[in-house]
Structures are given as C-alpha cells and as structure tokens.
Amino acid sequence: MKTAVVSLLSAFLAGNAAAHSTFQQFWVNGVDQGTSCARLPLNNNPIRGVTGADIRCNAGTSPVPGKCSVNAGGTVIVEMHAQFNDRSCANEAIGGQHYGPVIVYLTKVDDSSRDSGDGLWYKVYENGWSAVPGTSRSDDDNWGVKDLNRCCGKVGVKIPSNIPSGDYLVRAEVIALHSAPTEPQPYVTCYQITVTGGSGSLPSSGGVRFPGAYSMSDPGIGVSIHGDLSQYIIPGPPVMPGGTSDTAGSMQCPATGGGTGNPATTTLRTTTRATTAATTAQTTAQTTAQTTTPAGNGGGAACPQWQQCGGVGWTGCTSCSGSFKCVKLNDYYSQCQ
C-alpha cells in the first residue's frame, strides 16, 4: 500500500511539474541573485485570461523588501522552473508542450519595493516563433519556450543603456498557446530592480499598460498553433530601442557564474515559413501517425488539475483526479478543470 501511495504521489508531482511553471530566480551580469527581488506567484498555475488585473504581475502577489541593482546596459537573466526551488536542468523549465513566446517588459517606478506597476510598460525582450520547413504543425516549429527549455529555464535580457537611472519593475512572461485560442495561459513574474548609470529618457511612444496591452483577439493570442502557421505576431508593442529580439531556434544561452549573458539579437518580429524545394529537402518527413487516445486511466494515475488529459497524439493519463473533468479545449489538447 505504501509503495502504491508513493507511486501515485510521484506521478502527481511529475504531471503537475510538466503542466505549469514559474519565473523565479534573477541574475545580474552572470551573478545569481536567487529570488531576493522576485514577487513570486502563489503557485505555478497560469493566469486566467489576458485582460484582468492579474496579467500585470500575477495573482495575489505583493511587493517584497529586496531590490536587485543593475547597471544600465547590463544583462539580467530571468529563470523559470516548474516547481519552486527545483533548478535541475534535467527537468523542463515548462513542460507539457506549453509552446509560445517569451516576453520581458520594464516600467519606471518611484520605489520598486512598493509600486504596483500601473504605469507604462516597455518591451525590452521577445522571442516568438520561426518555421521549421517540412513540418505540418506549428507545434513542431521553433518557439521561444523551446529555447527557454534548452537553456535550463534561463533567458538573457539586456537592460537598455539609454534609460534613466532609478527604480523599475521587470515583468517576465511566457504565453503558453497549447490551448489557445480558447484559453491562452500566461505565466508572469515581476522583479524589483534599481538601475544605475543610466542616461537619456524613456521613449515617447511604445509604452503599454497592464491590463490593456492584450486582448483575446490579438493575432498572437487568439491563434491555434496546431495547424500550419505562415507567420506569428508576438503580442504587445515592438521592442523599445536598445532592447533585444531573439529568433526562435537560434537564441544563445546566457552565461552564468560571473560571465555576462550574450543573447543573439535581431530586429525581426515575424517570420514567414520557407516553402522552397531546397529548404524542404533539408527536413525529414513526418512519419508518426497522429491518433487520439481513447478514454482510460493512462496507466492508473489520475491527472491533477490543469494537467493535459487528452488530444491528438496524447499518450498520458486520461482521467482526472477528484471532481475535476477532462475538458476538450481543441482537437490537440484537453485539460483537467
């Protein structure tokens, strides 16, 4: 009996870890600051919707005493993991095929340890999508989340050198699109920083407010990634001058342990799928048949809340624990709710 209970608990934790995640740790110029300046979410669940107040810094969060000092022009790293305090690179930062863009904003505030962040936010980083020629589903293309997983949950973000000194909030975000357009899943954490050695001023345009920056009809949110995309438009405004846009599939993993992050940069915000015979010839044809898993118990372990429980190609658990039901969100994704 004890073995069975332990096995069931392990399956629950593994499923929960694969389903959701949280931005937690923060680095400054390669030096680990831990969670000292992070307004950590209460759990690793996604935010419900993109238009409510929680979209700003997540649900139930509040300021913390710590601030991380960053020089203007320096590089910070935002770090995401599925479970709190689990920084193992053996586990995906955000699993369950939660593919989508990675986006980082900042806003100027009077006191980052007290301010609510209701001013203008400027995008300083984005990594969205790029096509993999020969694929029939955009799930199989390059995504910012896949780069995030490849780099052990770490994304290097340059703090623009042309901003004034003072306190800021940094907002790190993944928008998981596996269940969009019905239910996109944002994962957000805000960090409290003080910028030193800055100069100049913030742009006169390009700032947005949260809530208000996103809507369910935005092409980068109200989209199904299970078909064949020809382009993907990252939600929100363009990256501000001095910020960084990475191309999905080619992001350089940031250096840690005293080094400085060095993400690849590009000015592209959308990418068009290549269709020439030359590029198609570089790929291997998809040969795996896609089938829908029949109802069952997926090996005996029930899916916890928010875990995937069905869809085309799904081979995991298909029944939900407790009173939760397996709700079909689209042909490729059902979830326990």
Side-chain angles (χ1 to χ4, degrees), residues 19-69:
H20 296 138
S21 199
T22 310
F23 278 104
Q24 302 176 42
Q25 293 81 15
F26 195 75
W27 301 65
V28 177
N29 294 327
V31 179
D32 189 1
Q33 308 296 314
T35 60
S36 61
C37 58
R39 297 184 180 183
L40 291 176
L42 303 180
N43 52 52
N44 66 354
N45 290 339
I47 297 168
R48 283 300 187 101
V50 297
T51 59
D54 291 345
I55 196 65
R56 185 182 298 160
C57 283
N58 215 317
T61 56
S62 58
V64 296
K67 301 179 185 179
C68 291
S69 180

Side-chain angles (χ1 to χ4, degrees), residues 72-76 106 124-125 156-161 242-244 263:
T75 298
V76 303
L106 58 73
V124 293
Y125 178 86
V157 180
K158 181 181 178 181
I159 300 298
S161 58
T244 303

